[in-house]
Every structure is written in C-alpha cells, then in structure tokens.
C-alpha cells in the first residue's frame, strides 16, 4: 500500500508502537528486575491521557515521554520506577488526572516522583520574572526526597534540547542558556558525563550555529588524520597489554565542538593549536575487583616504558575520587610524532560510573534504617545537605541564588587537613574563611585568621591541596560585608549574606526613617515610586540599597533631590542615550543631535517570537550595556528590561547567561542588517616575542593594508616577551576576523584574540 494513502492516525500508531518497543527492548537488556507489565501499564495510561495532542514538531505528544523514558533507561541506567515516572511525567501537568489518580493506579513511589516533576516544571514559561530560578529551587528541594526526580528532569531537558529545532529563536536562546547555566553543571555534578557533554554541545549548536558548524567541519576533515595517529599510538600499547594478559578495550575520546570552542575562547588559541582533541581510554576488567586500583598503576608503569609521560599532567583520581564519584588515572604521553596525547586508565566499573554517574546506582531504602551508604552515596548526601542548608535560608534575589548553587556545582576539589589530621574535601580556590564556615557558622563568623602549615595567614588566604589548617577566632570579631569578596564556597557566601542582610535590615529601617523625615519636611509624600526615583537619580539600582546608603550616611539628601522629584533637573546631565551606544560615527556633536532618537519602548501586544532587525537607522533606539560590547556580526540577543526598553547583549556574555536563565520570557532574537557605514570599538589582544619593528609591522597591516583606524595602543614588554592590546574602529565582526587572520602572518606574534 502506498504510504501517502495510509491515514495519519495509522502512521502515528505505528510510530508510537515502534518507539515503545525500542524502550521495552532497552529495558529488557538492562540489569533491572523485569517489570514489563508495570512499564506497559504506564505507557498505555500516558498514551490515553495525551491522546490527540501534538508537539510543536508535529509528532504525537506521547513520543516525548517515551523518549525521556528511553534516555532514563539506556543512558542513565535507571529502572522500572523511573521509566514509569518518565512516561507519566507530564500527565498531571497537562491533563485532568491528579497525583492521587497516579498513586491509586501506580503506587506511592511513582506518584511522589511524578509530583516532584510536576512541581518543578510548573510555570516554566510563565510571565513572572526568575521563573527558572524558582523552578531550580523547587528542583533541589525535591532532590533530597528522591534523587530520581532530578535525574528524570535532566533526561527531560536532554530530549527537549534534541528537539529544540521546532521552537522559535528567542525560546531556543532561553532554553539553551539555562541548559548551559543549570542543567549541564548539574549533570556533571551527578557524574552524568555523557549527558553533560551532549547538553553543552546542543546549547552551543543553537546559540552559536556558525562556530558549531565550522568546528564540526574541521573535526570531520581531520578525522582520518586522527585515526591514523590513534592506530600508530596504540599499536605498542596493545602489544604491552596483551603481554600482561589483561582483558581490555581501547576507546578514542574526541573533544566535543563545545569543549574545543571553550578552550579556544579561554586560551586564545585556534583550532589547529589545540593539542588534546584526541585522547585514549584504556578500559580493563580487573582479575580481582579489590585490586583494580593497583592494576591501573601497573598499566601506567607498562605504557610509560613505551612513551615519555608529562610530569605535570598526571591526575590521580583513584586515591581521591572526584565529588561526583569519578575515578580514573590520567596521564599525558608524548607520541612518536611529537604530540602530547592524554591517556585515561580506568576499570569497567569506573567507566560505568564515569558515563552514567553514581546517582544511577543509588540504593533506594525501603524502610531499612540501618542500611549503610556506599562511599559514593555519602558524598552525594553531603552535597545535598549543603544545598539544603542554602535553601533553608533562601536568597531574596533568585539570580544570586543560582550563582550560589553554581559555585557548588562547578567546583573541582582539593583535600585539606584539620589540626587533628582529618581530611576535608573543599572546592579549588577556597580560602581560610571558606574552611572556617565549612566547619561551623560560629567559627566562620568570628574568624580572625588561620594557621596554614603552622604559618599565620589572613582570612583571604587561598588553600592548596595537602594544607593543614587551624582556624583562629575572637568573640569581638563580626562578619563584614567585604568578606563576600573572598569567600568562594556556596555555604560561606550564603551564611555571610544572611548575617549581612540581618544587619542591613536595621540600617535600612534607619534609612527609611531619614527619607520619610526629609520628604515630610518638604511637603512630599513617601511612596515606593518616590524612593525608586531617588535611587535611580543617585545611580543605585535597587531601592533597598539606596535606603541602606541613606542609613549609613553614604548618601545625603538635598536640593537636587527635590528638583528631581519636581522634574526640574535637565535631561542632559543624566548622560542620555549616548552612553548606551558604543560606536562613534565620525560625526560632530551637531550631527549626533540630529540623529538622536528616543529609546524604543516595547508595547503591550508585542510579538516576541519575531526577530528584531538592527539597522543604521534604528540602532540608537536600543541600549548597549558595557558588559560585552556587541558589534554587527556577533551572535546577539535582546532583553526587555524593567522599563520595557531593549538591551542588546552577545549570546555568550556572562550577564546574558543570567538573563536567559532567570528572565527567559523577556529574551528576543536579534538580527543585524548593517551595511558598513558606522564604526564600532573592538579590542584585539596580542602576545609574542619582542623584536625591533614588530609593532610597526602590526600597525602597517591594520592601518596601511586594511585602512582601519587605530584608536589606542597599549603594549608592555618584559624580558623579551610582549603583551598588549589595540583598540580599533571597525564596521563589524568580519572586519575583526580579517584583521586577526592577517596578523597571523606576522612572525613572532604568538597569541592573537579579541577581547570582549
């Protein structure tokens, strides 16, 4: 029968049945108890509940829960309870069924997980600000009850990212932004390495499509070269391992486009200069499970006889596993072709934990109080407890809360000792103050210094792995707001902020009294709008900060404040629209006045799905904050601020990352429609080996060959190495790329990159 003549209903039926069969096959090939009847029952229930509903992509809605369940089963290694919960995860939110209905049919455990998933997804696209941060808070609150809630949520996010094509561009930036900001680090912290990499990569693909395509193409064209290198490099290693009678498997690990791009940005290098695109994984099955750590070292000894190892690049995650349970031995070896290649040595068990995370092997306690945790689970529980502590004292600002949690998610660890010799795991970059708060809040808030390895150090002293730390306290010491600048752990920051907030409340009250007295004296009425207006007049963003400044006598009220309230201050004094636009059109003041336009204000019925085109005529209607200096050709987005005006940011700007996460419904798609008539500032960083005439060559290429105006040059030279920056006037991003490519021809110029 011709497929075109088959009714759509029949095609959908076939599509859904095939997808469910794939899920069942995957479940049956796993190690879990075979509760096929329960999984089938959940599938039939969800299918009936979502009947007739379609996704934006056009496929039946039930395909999404099946896909989430398949990810949970196949890629995260979860069992029937999680698979059923994944199949049912949208039923309560999107249909008339309640949690009670789920409980009556599928039991308490599945109902609790579905309830947790419903709570954290509610209102994700709501109009209220910081919706995503609030959801994240709910997400973390449910984690302690059952870790499976967050694991299924990550699976749900992964499928949404895989099918993001069907969403409009502004939603793509919002979802990709919060994925990179929240879900990828969360997956990393739970040890879901494979999932984390895919989430990062998909976010990168939607936020920077051109860079993604360019790196993917380069990876494709260099694949044969890599395979040849891999075969030559592993030949003697295979021979050595065969000689040791080890059961092993060798795998290539190729860096993802996202991690390559990230390295290019952070290290200011080109694709060709990244040496560790290829890595080798040696995965072996130990003869005796208890001896797997020793076998890792035996393999290392054998391969270091073949190739020279890099002394500074050995990472021993065997004796001290990462906080997410990751164990392996990393060594970097010099190949015969003169390239450094990283080798990761791990047992099959370590490999499973590295790919799926120890959260997948969580032991669910069925009322057994005396059941012991494994070491991994104790680590995870410590982490959950820290997050619980932060949640017990919630931040007033949801974005601050996200930042605080992120500190914990990203942290890699160091090991420090107490005076009694106990080992404490702390995040890299932590200070003596962080260590004090990690032990006890009282110790932290009265800390005056520390002894590190028996030497006296200040609170801000950064700890190193292996340090022995003794905290010194004084009852007369009190928390200072400045401490927040050198506290780096989530716990310390949260405690300091809580204490400072408590103190600030009193100062704020005092400030409020001063303002009320001032207004009363001048026959004005106190309202929140008046306080906001005066805060803005004094360039203070938040009303509470303004009241604190009044209470601390940092701001004194006078005649100008009254003039502001009465509308007597001149507009020009406030900087006007010019301060938002980072370009100089080579025009005079008179011409600027002629071109001046009011800032665009977003009307009520504004279509946020359509892109905004920025042209030479309307560019001055938008705000260009100083955080990232977007110029034509940059991947950019718009953000509707509290005044309904539009700020333009680069998509990889740190400020934009927060905005996408917390104010996703205010994000707009921006397209450039410029024709090389206006000039913008761009700064290029240079580094290399100094010699006579080098700067002259650089300026010749920029000014003479390319006719680009150099605005400022700032170069420093020390012991034959120079470092500096050149500020240019360019039309767009293409100009910058051309300049950088042309500068690569200058001998002795080793590092060229653009500064944001």
């Amino acid at each position: 029968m011709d497929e075109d003549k088959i009714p759509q209903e029949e095609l959908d039926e076939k599509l859904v049945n095939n997808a469910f069969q794939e899920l069942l096959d995957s479940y049956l090939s796993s190690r879990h108890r075979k509760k096929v009847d329960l999984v089938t029952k959940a599938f039939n229930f969800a299918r009936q509940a979502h009947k007739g509903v379609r996704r934006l992509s056009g496929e039946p809605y039930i395909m999404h829960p099946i896909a989430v369940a398949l990810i949970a089963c196949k890629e995260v290694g979860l069992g029937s309870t999680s698979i059923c919960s994944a199949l049912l995860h949208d039923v309560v939110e999107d249909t008339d069924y309640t949690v009670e209905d789920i409980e009556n049919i599928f039991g308490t455990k599945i109902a609790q997980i579905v309830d947790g998933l419903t709570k954290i997804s509610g209102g994700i696209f709501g109009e209220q600000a910081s919706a995503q941060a609030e959801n994240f808070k709910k997400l973390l609150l449910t984690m302690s009850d059952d870790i499976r809630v967050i694991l299924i949520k990550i699976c749900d996010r992964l499928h949404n990212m895989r099918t993001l094509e069907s969403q409009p561009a502004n939603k793509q930036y919002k979802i990709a932004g919060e994925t990179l900001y929240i879900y990828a680090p969360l997956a990393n912290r739970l040890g879901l390495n494979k999932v984390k990499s895919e989430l990062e990569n998909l976010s990168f693909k939607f936020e920077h499509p051109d860079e993604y395509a360019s790196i993917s193409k380069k990876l494709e064209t260099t694949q044969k070269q890599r395979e040849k290198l891999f075969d030559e490099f592993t030949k003697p290693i295979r021979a050595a391992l065969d000689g040791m009678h080890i059961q092993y498997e060798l795998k290539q690990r190729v860096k993802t486009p996202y991690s390559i791009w990230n390295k290019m940005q952070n290290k200011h290098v080109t694709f060709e200069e990244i040496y560790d695109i290829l890595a080798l994984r040696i995965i072996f099955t130990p003869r005796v499970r208890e001896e797997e750590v020793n076998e890792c070292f035996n393999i290392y000894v054998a391969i270091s006889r073949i190739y020279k190892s890099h002394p500074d690049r050995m990472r021993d995650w065997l004796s001290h596993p990462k906080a997410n349970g990751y164990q392996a031995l990393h060594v970097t070896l010099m190949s015969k072709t003169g390239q450094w290649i990283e080798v990761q040595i791990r047992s099959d068990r370590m490999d499973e934990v590295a790919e799926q995370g120890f959260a997948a092997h969580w032991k669910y306690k069925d009322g057994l109080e005396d059941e012991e945790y494994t070491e991994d689970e104790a680590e995870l529980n410590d982490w959950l407890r820290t997050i619980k502590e932060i949640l017990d004292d919630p931040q007033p600002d949801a974005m601050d809360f996200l930042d605080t949690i992120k500190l914990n998610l990203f942290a890699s660890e160091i090991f420090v000792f107490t005076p009694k010799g106990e080992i404490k795991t702390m995040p890299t970059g932590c200070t003596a103050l962080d260590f004090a708060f990690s032990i006890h809040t009282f110790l932290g808030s009265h800390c005056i210094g520390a002894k590190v390895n028996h030497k006296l150090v200040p609170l801000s002293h950064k700890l190193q792995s292996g340090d022995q730390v003794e905290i010194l306290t004084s009852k007369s010491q009190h928390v200072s707001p400045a401490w927040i600048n050198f506290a780096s752990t989530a716990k310390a920051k949260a405690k300091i902020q809580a204490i400072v907030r408590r103190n600030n409340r009193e100062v704020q009250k005092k400030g409020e009294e001063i303002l009320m007295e001032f207004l009363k004296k001048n026959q004005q009425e106190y309202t929140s709008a008046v306080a906001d207006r005066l805060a803005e007049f004094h360039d203070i963003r938040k009303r509470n900060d303004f009241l604190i400044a009044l209470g601390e006598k940092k701001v004194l009220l006078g005649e100008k404040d009254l003039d502001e309230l009465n509308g007597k201050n001149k507009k020009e004094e406030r900087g006007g629209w010019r301060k938002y636009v980072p370009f100089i059109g080579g025009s005079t003041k008179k011409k600027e006045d002629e071109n001046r336009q009011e800032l665009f204000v977003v009307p009520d019925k504004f279509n946020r799905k359509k892109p905004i085109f920025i042209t030479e005529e309307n560019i001055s209607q938008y705000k260009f904050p100083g955080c990232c200096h977007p110029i034509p050709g940059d991947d950019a987005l718009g953000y509707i601020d509290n005044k309904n005006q539009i700020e333009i940011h680069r998509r990889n700007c740190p400020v934009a990352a927060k905005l996408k996460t917390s104010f996703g419904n205010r994000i707009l798609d921006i397209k450039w429609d410029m024709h090389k008539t206006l000039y913008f500032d761009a700064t290029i960083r240079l580094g290399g080996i100094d010699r006579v005439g080098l700067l002259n060559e650089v300026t010749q290429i920029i000014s003479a060959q390319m006719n680009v105006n150099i605005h400022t040059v700032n170069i420093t030279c020390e012991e034959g190495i120079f470092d500096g920056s050149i500020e240019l006037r360019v039309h767009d991003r293409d100009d910058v790329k051309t300049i950088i490519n042309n500068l690569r021809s200058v001998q002795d110029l080793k590092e060229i990159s653009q500064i944001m």
Side-chain angles (χ1 to χ4, degrees):
M1 189 177 174
D2 188 358
E3 206 164 277
D4 292 344
K5 291 172 186 168
I6 300 173
Q8 186 60 47
E9 215 169 286
E10 224 172 286
L11 288 172
D12 287 349
E13 185 93 0
K14 195 178 172 188
L15 184 75
V16 171
N17 287 340
N18 288 348
F20 180 61
Q21 193 54 52
E22 189 190 349
L23 171 63
L24 273 188
D25 293 346
S26 177
Y27 174 61
L28 287 166
S29 64
S30 72
R31 300 179 201 168
H32 295 281
R33 283 179 297 219
K34 310 296 176 239
K35 295 188 181 175
V36 174
D37 293 349
L38 184 67
V39 173
T40 310
K41 186 179 172 184
F43 162 66
N44 288 327
F45 183 84
R47 184 188 213 169
Q48 192 55 43
H50 294 301
K51 200 173 182 182
V53 183
R54 292 186 179 276
R55 298 190 82 208
L56 279 179
S57 57
E59 63 182 17
Y61 193 88
I62 186 66
M63 293 296 286
H64 169 63
I66 295 171
V68 174
L70 185 63
I71 293 169
C73 174
K74 205 173 182 176
E75 298 177 51
V76 185
L78 298 174
S80 59
T81 305
S82 302
I83 292 167
C84 293
S85 303
L87 286 167
L88 300 165
H89 80 271
D90 278 336
V91 167
V92 174
E93 192 186 344
D94 296 344
T95 72
D96 294 334
Y97 288 104
T98 63
V99 175
E100 287 72 30
D101 296 332
I102 304 285
E103 189 170 358
N104 292 335
I105 302 166
F106 297 99
T108 312
K109 193 39 82 185
I110 290 174
Q112 277 175 354
I113 297 172
V114 171
D115 186 35
L117 287 159
T118 307
K119 277 178 190 158
I120 56 184
S121 62
I124 194 162
F125 296 126
E127 282 304 306
Q128 75 275 30
S130 309
Q132 193 50 45
E134 290 306 321
N135 283 327
F136 190 42
K137 204 178 280 191
K138 290 180 205 164
L139 178 85
L140 293 165
L141 278 166
T142 57
M143 276 176 78
S144 308
D145 301 332
D146 197 320
I147 193 75
R148 288 174 288 194
V149 171
I150 191 146
L151 292 171
I152 297 165
K153 185 64 195 167
I154 289 171
C155 298
D156 178 43
R157 176 48 59 118
L158 180 55
H159 186 246
N160 283 336
M161 287 303 295
R162 285 175 179 172
T163 55
L164 201 55
E165 292 281 359
S166 51
Q167 292 280 2
N170 63 327
K171 281 274 171 71
Q172 287 179 353
Y173 305 150
K174 169 210 182 304
I175 295 167
E178 68 193 22
T179 298
L180 209 49
Y181 196 72
I182 296 172
Y183 289 95
L186 198 50
N188 183 43
R189 196 60 171 77
L190 293 171
L192 303 168
N193 188 46
K194 220 171 167 185
V195 172
K196 176 213 76 156
S197 295
E198 193 178 344
L199 287 173
E200 287 175 341
N201 222 24
L202 287 167
S203 300
F204 174 48
K205 179 184 171 182
F206 286 102
E207 291 223 79
H208 304 286
D210 295 343
E211 279 98 331
Y212 177 84
S214 162
I215 292 171
S216 300
K217 197 176 177 188
K218 282 177 181 171
L219 280 174
E220 215 175 289
T221 53
T222 54
Q223 191 180 341
K224 279 191 177 147
Q225 201 180 318
R226 271 197 310 278
E227 280 170 4
K228 191 183 172 197
L229 173 65
F230 182 78
D231 291 341
E232 286 171 4
F233 182 71
T234 54
K235 204 175 178 181
I237 292 176
R238 285 179 197 276
L241 295 176
D242 290 341
M244 293 165 75
H245 307 293
I246 288 172
Q247 194 184 329
Y248 67 90
E249 184 188 354
L250 299 186
K251 281 186 187 173
Q252 269 193 62
R253 186 233 62 190
V254 178
K255 261 188 182 308
T256 61
Y258 172 77
S259 57
I260 291 170
W261 177 76
N262 219 12
K263 197 156 193 178
M264 284 163 68
Q265 302 297 307
N266 296 336
K267 304 269 185 191
H268 306 301
V269 291
T270 61
F271 177 89
E272 290 70 27
E273 289 171 299
I274 295 176
Y275 73 90
D276 61 345
I277 286 176
L278 175 72
L280 163 67
R281 277 188 190 141
I282 301 174
I283 300 157
F284 68 93
T285 305
R287 295 185 191 92
V288 182
R289 186 59 64 193
E290 289 72 33
E291 291 293 310
E292 62 182 0
V293 170
N294 288 343
E295 282 200 42
C296 283
F297 281 107
N298 291 342
I299 291 170
Y300 164 61
V301 170
I303 61 175
S304 61
R305 284 185 187 133
I306 305 166
Y307 297 111
K308 287 272 181 287
S309 66
H310 193 301
D312 299 333
R313 290 204 187 119
M314 183 170 169
R315 299 282 178 270
D316 173 11
W317 302 113
L318 298 170
S319 322
H320 298 295
K322 288 187 181 183
N324 62 12
Y326 179 84
Q327 266 186 299
L329 184 64
H330 289 198
V331 293
T332 304
L333 304 176
M334 174 61 81
S335 69
K336 302 286 188 236
T337 53
Q339 282 169 282
W340 288 110
I341 294 180
E342 186 180 72
V343 179
Q344 301 168 356
I345 306 165
R346 49 170 97 146
S347 70
D348 50 1
R349 180 195 66 83
M350 293 173 190
D351 188 58
E352 195 176 337
V353 171
E355 292 303 307
Q356 295 192 331
F358 61 66
H361 313 291
W362 189 261
K363 307 277 187 294
Y364 299 100
K365 297 183 294 302
D366 299 318
L368 299 173
E369 292 300 317
D370 57 346
E371 187 173 331
E372 283 183 27
Y373 287 119
T374 66
E375 197 178 317
D376 287 346
E377 289 163 354
E379 285 273 19
L380 189 62
N381 249 28
D382 281 349
W383 183 61
L384 293 176
R385 205 173 299 117
T386 306
I387 286 174
K388 262 286 201 221
E389 281 180 25
I390 295 165
L391 289 164
D392 290 341
D393 183 23
Q395 303 283 331
D397 187 323
M399 277 162 79
D400 284 353
F401 170 79
L402 278 179
D403 275 348
T404 308
I405 294 288
K406 264 173 67 78
L407 289 170
N408 258 30
L409 296 182
F410 275 134
S412 52
E413 302 81 21
I414 59 167
F415 303 95
V416 292
F417 296 90
T418 66
K420 289 179 182 172
E422 292 166 23
I423 285 192
K424 279 266 188 192
T425 305
M426 296 292 292
T428 304
C430 72
T431 59
L433 183 65
D434 293 315
F435 183 75
F437 273 106
S438 76
I439 295 168
H440 198 280
T441 305
F442 179 85
L443 205 63
S445 50
H446 294 285
C447 174
I448 52 169
K451 276 186 180 176
V452 172
N453 307 327
H454 311 292
K455 280 185 191 166
L456 206 58
V457 296
L459 298 178
S460 56
H461 177 82
K462 286 198 174 178
L463 302 178
Q464 305 291 324
S465 222
D467 281 348
Q468 189 165 24
V469 189
E470 182 189 345
I471 299 300
L472 308 172
T473 60
S474 162
K475 282 186 180 175
S476 61
Q477 175 73 298
H478 296 290
V479 172
S480 154
W483 285 10
I484 204 80
N485 299 326
F486 50 81
S488 71
T489 60
K491 184 174 180 177
K493 276 186 180 278
K495 295 292 177 194
I496 293 164
Q497 282 172 330
I499 295 164
V500 168
R501 265 201 312 279
R502 202 163 54 233
N503 299 342
N504 279 350
R505 276 187 212 117
E506 295 164 24
V507 182
Q508 192 182 318
K509 206 160 185 274
K510 196 177 167 190
E512 207 166 351
E513 285 165 10
I514 292 169
L515 180 59
M516 287 168 116
E517 203 177 308
F518 172 77
L519 293 170
K520 194 178 176 184
K521 196 170 127 190
N522 291 287
Q523 288 81 50
Q524 295 266 3
E525 198 182 329
Y526 175 82
T527 64
S528 53
V530 165
D532 286 342
R533 193 164 172 186
L534 288 176
E536 195 189 337
F537 178 63
H538 286 277
D539 281 330
I540 297 172
R541 281 184 65 187
K542 293 179 183 171
R543 186 198 316 156
N544 290 353
D545 293 346
F546 172 62
L547 294 173
I548 289 165
L550 280 177
E552 290 175 340
K553 304 273 195 307
K554 286 180 181 173
V555 167
L556 300 171
L557 300 170
E559 286 297 320
K560 282 198 171 184
D561 296 278
L562 281 178
D563 289 345
E564 175 62 23
L565 293 176
N566 295 324
K568 290 179 185 175
N569 283 338
K570 289 180 185 174
K571 284 271 196 282
E572 282 72 18
E573 287 172 18
R574 307 282 294 281
W577 67 275
R578 263 320 268 181
K579 69 178 179 183
Y580 296 115
V581 186
F583 68 83
I584 305 295
S587 58
T588 61
K589 183 81 175 72
K590 189 180 170 191
K591 193 171 176 186
E592 284 172 20
D593 289 340
E594 285 168 16
N595 289 340
R596 184 173 302 179
Q597 288 173 286
E598 286 297 311
L599 288 170
F600 175 71
V601 177
V602 175
D604 287 342
K605 289 182 180 176
F606 184 71
N607 186 349
R608 299 183 183 201
K609 290 182 183 177
K610 275 191 172 178
I612 283 181
F613 287 88
I614 296 184
T615 65
E616 282 86 352
E617 286 72 39
N618 70 12
I619 191 164
S620 57
Q621 294 179 18
Y622 304 107
K623 295 181 177 180
F624 286 77
C627 48
C628 59
H629 299 298
I631 67 173
D634 278 334
D635 290 334
L637 55 77
Y639 163 68
I640 303 170
D641 68 11
N642 294 335
K643 294 180 178 178
N644 278 342
Q645 291 161 351
I646 297 173
E647 290 180 7
I648 311 295
H649 292 268
R650 281 165 70 159
R651 282 182 222 154
N652 59 341
C653 160
V655 174
K658 289 188 189 181
L659 297 175
K660 281 179 283 194
T661 304
S662 295
F663 304 100
N665 55 304
R666 299 195 204 171
I667 298 298
L668 305 170
D669 183 19
I670 294 295
K671 299 267 189 275
W672 299 97
D673 184 16
M674 308 288 277
H675 306 92
K676 293 188 182 283
T677 57
L678 297 176
Y679 286 96
F680 297 80
D681 288 341
T683 307
I684 290 177
R685 186 185 156 273
L686 304 171
I689 297 153
D690 193 29
R691 61 172 166 81
V692 175
L694 181 68
L695 187 59
N696 184 39
E697 272 184 57
V698 169
T699 53
Q700 277 292 314
I701 284 176
I702 297 172
S703 297
Q705 283 184 30
M706 304 192 63
N707 201 22
V708 171
N709 182 16
I710 295 176
H711 188 235
T712 346
V713 177
N714 186 4
I715 302 279
T716 55
C717 182
E718 210 169 301
E719 295 178 356
I721 303 293
F722 86 90
D723 188 61
S725 61
I726 297 182
E727 196 179 293
L728 312 167
R729 298 270 187 254
V730 295
H731 292 300
D732 52 27
R733 176 66 50 229
D734 287 343
D735 282 2
V736 178
K737 282 180 184 166
T738 309
I739 291 165
I740 288 175
N741 287 338
N742 287 357
L743 287 174
R744 291 197 194 283
S745 64
V746 176
Q747 205 181 344
D748 297 325
L749 210 54
K750 302 296 180 192
E751 291 181 354
I752 312 160
S753 60
Q754 198 217 332
I755 299 172
M756 191 190 274

